[in-house]
């Protein structure tokens, strides 16, 4: 059983927005840092954003000021709001647990949700 399930991806035009959701199954997300990373064909995995258990966030330079990560502990969900999307944002997006945003590896992640930015 996949412990994390991502949703919210889709096809959007450049400049559009999407909100991705990451829902946990069988454990509480609030005890972990949760990161979003993306994987595009032929490219290395790229960390996009992360939120620590204490709410402190960080972002890759490529998405800063466009993406916002947030967590709703009551809903056991982490969100990634993506605005002003660009074609280079096209990838499969995964959420993953971490001990901390900085200096710890991704531990468990879901199957991902496809984001395609194209006119």
């Amino acid at each position: 059983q996949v412990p994390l399930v991502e949703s919210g991806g889709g096809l959007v035009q450049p400049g559009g927005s999407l909100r991705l959701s990451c829902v946990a199954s069988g454990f509480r997300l609030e005890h972990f840092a949760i990161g979003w990373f993306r994987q595009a064909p032929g490219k290395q995995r790229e960390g996009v954003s992360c939120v620590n258990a204490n709410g402190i966030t960080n972002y890759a330079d490529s998405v800063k000021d466009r993406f916002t990560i947030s967590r709703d502990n009551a809903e056991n969900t982490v969100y990634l709001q993506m605005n002003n999307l660009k074609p280079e944002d096209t990838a499969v997006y995964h959420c993953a647990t971490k001990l901390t945003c900085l200096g710890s590896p991704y531990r468990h992640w879901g199957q991902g949700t496809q984001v395609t930015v194209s006119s």
Side-chain angles (χ1 to χ4, degrees):
Q1 183 180 2
V2 177
L4 294 169
V5 178
E6 304 92 339
S7 63
L11 173 63
V12 64
Q13 292 186 341
S17 298
L18 288 172
R19 188 177 79 157
L20 306 184
S21 300
C22 171
V23 179
S25 175
F27 69 100
R28 299 295 302 176
L29 283 177
E30 63 194 298
H31 302 302
F32 298 90
I34 303 297
W36 285 93
F37 66 88
R38 62 190 181 187
Q39 183 81 59
K43 294 186 178 180
Q44 287 191 328
R45 186 173 71 183
E46 178 187 15
V48 172
S49 182
C50 186
V51 56
N52 279 299
N54 62 9
I56 294 175
T57 60
N58 59 43
Y59 299 91
D61 287 343
S62 58
V63 307
K64 204 169 289 184
D65 299 325
R66 299 189 298 122
F67 290 10
T68 303
I69 191 170
S70 61
R71 61 194 312 156
D72 184 334
N73 290 335
E75 295 295 324
N76 207 27
T77 302
V78 171
Y79 299 100
L80 185 69
Q81 177 67 43
M82 305 187 297
N83 297 329
N84 191 21
L85 283 160
K86 303 176 180 180
E88 53 263 42
D89 295 317
T90 295
V92 177
Y93 284 70
H94 301 264
C95 64
T97 60
K98 305 181 76 176
L99 290 178
T100 58
C101 283
L102 299 178
S104 70
Y106 298 116
R107 298 180 70 189
H108 301 99
W109 54 89
Q111 294 183 338
T113 185
Q114 175 71 48
V115 171
T116 303
V117 185
S118 175
S119 55

